[in-house]
Amino acid sequence: MSIALGVDPFNFVVFGGTGDLAIRKLMPALLFSECDDRLPDEASIIALGRTELSQQEYADIVRAGCKKYMADNLFSEEKWEAFAKRLCYFKLDIDEKQDFLKLAEHLEKTADRVRVFYLATHSSLFAAVGEGLHDANAIHEQSRIVLEKPLGMDLKSAKETNSQIARFFKEDQIFRIDHYLGKETVQNLMVLRFGNSIFEPVWHHGMIDHVQITVAETVGVEGRGGYYDKSGALRDMVQNHLVQLLCLVAMEPPAQFDQDAVRDEKLKILKSLRPITGDHVEKNTVRGQYAEGAIDRTATHSYLEDSGIEESNTETFVAIKAEVDNWRWTGVPFYLRTGKRLRQRFSEIVIDFKPVPHQIFPAPGQGMKPNRLIIRLQPDEGIKLIMTSKVPGPGGLRLQQTPLNLSYSDVFRKRAPDAYERLILDSVRGNSTLFMRRDELEAAWSWVEPILEEWEKSEEALVDYPGGTMGPTASTALIARDGRSWHDGGET
């Protein structure tokens, strides 16, 4: 008997059920939930695709994907057999009304269940899916729709997509997913700030010097050149992931931990972001594109080679100096950075505190370094507080930077759930705290769009950077001119 806390019986319907996202992320996440007994007995997973497949053929595809993307010691044959019984595959062409009617007929057999429609497709298809579901009477009060990024390519298209979906679903039924918000450490950031008395009193411009947010990848476009060349790092990563992380760092304490209170505070930060326009774009942003290089002594191709494009002005790296114009954060820069084909893979938030007001200890060289809080999102989730300590031993006072380290794997000694595991079940529960609201999304686009427009007008070519480095030298200069430097991965 499966035991699931707070999860009602549901049908989870995946549009794009044979695609990379479904096989690589969604199905393994659902299988993990099966392994952890979080799925109710009355739960089914309905995958939709354009390919003609038998039920067994689709199950074989999912099984192969789960075995590939789950660690060997975590794949259970017993749990797979139970999970496979939940799987159902339908061939569905979005242009065929009859296919939607067949889906609706199937769903009507369990009409009392929650229905989650997960759109693992391009956003250009969202409106057609919504209309097809509506016309087939497949939407009821307990329906939700989950929309994958990117939602639009600019503010205008984002508004159009939101308006199209709003014709068929209420706002509280729409779940705009950003998987970074489902990561354990991201959620722990709110607990760190608002559940402990020692951090919030120093979480302001009087004590914090600056904030760095980095999402670094060693991979290139990996076969996504067609999509990526129309998007770029600013749309693909900054507009959603990095801006959302900035909001969680900077937001005021919500009155309570619920979906509206949290998102209200995030929206205030988005509206407080200082616009980057005109000449400020060149001064406060850096964009680059990876060239040939090497990672771990292995040669890597350029972006043009990886994408199969002869010429492109699409950025694979972005660095931005952002500022939040409110009382808490005035004068505190937020440095955002993301890129592909970088030296190492890591995602982290670094809070650099101001130095002590008066140094009483003799310290050679540059003196004592300020405290630093490092919140690591991947690959090894954890929180590290860097403090100054005395080195043991006689013969003088020697100081050293030492970490207080909270490693999730060491402390909790259990598998940290993947972000999609939490977010999928939150969508079933109707809990949208970790999803973006329409006004949030559009406010984020409003801040990003002037940068995009200025880049498009600029006649300057992108700055190349060798694969296996940490991006263009201009990125180092961006933060160095303020007397600061980037924190890179394993540094303390």
Side-chain angles (χ1 to χ4, degrees), residues 164-182:
Q164 290 166 345
I165 293 297
R167 292 166 52 203
F168 314 114
F169 292 87
K170 301 174 185 175
E171 178 60 30
D172 62 6
Q173 294 178 304
I174 302 172
F175 291 73
R176 302 170 187 86
I177 194 168
D178 181 343
H179 71 272
Y180 264 69
L181 297 185

Side-chain angles (χ1 to χ4, degrees), residues 221 289-293 300-310:
V221 292
Q289 186 181 98
Y290 67 83
E292 293 179 348
T300 59
H301 296 300
S302 69
Y303 170 75
L304 296 180
E305 290 174 304
D306 281 347
S307 60
I309 299 171
E310 292 185 6

Side-chain angles (χ1 to χ4, degrees), residues 300-331:
T300 59
H301 296 300
S302 69
Y303 170 75
L304 296 180
E305 290 174 304
D306 281 347
S307 60
I309 299 171
E310 292 185 6
E311 186 177 349
S312 173
N313 209 35
T314 297
E315 77 285 353
T316 62
F317 178 97
V318 175
I320 298 176
K321 178 184 177 181
E323 296 182 75
V324 179
D325 287 332
N326 64 17
W327 277 47
R328 182 184 287 263
W329 296 110
T330 183

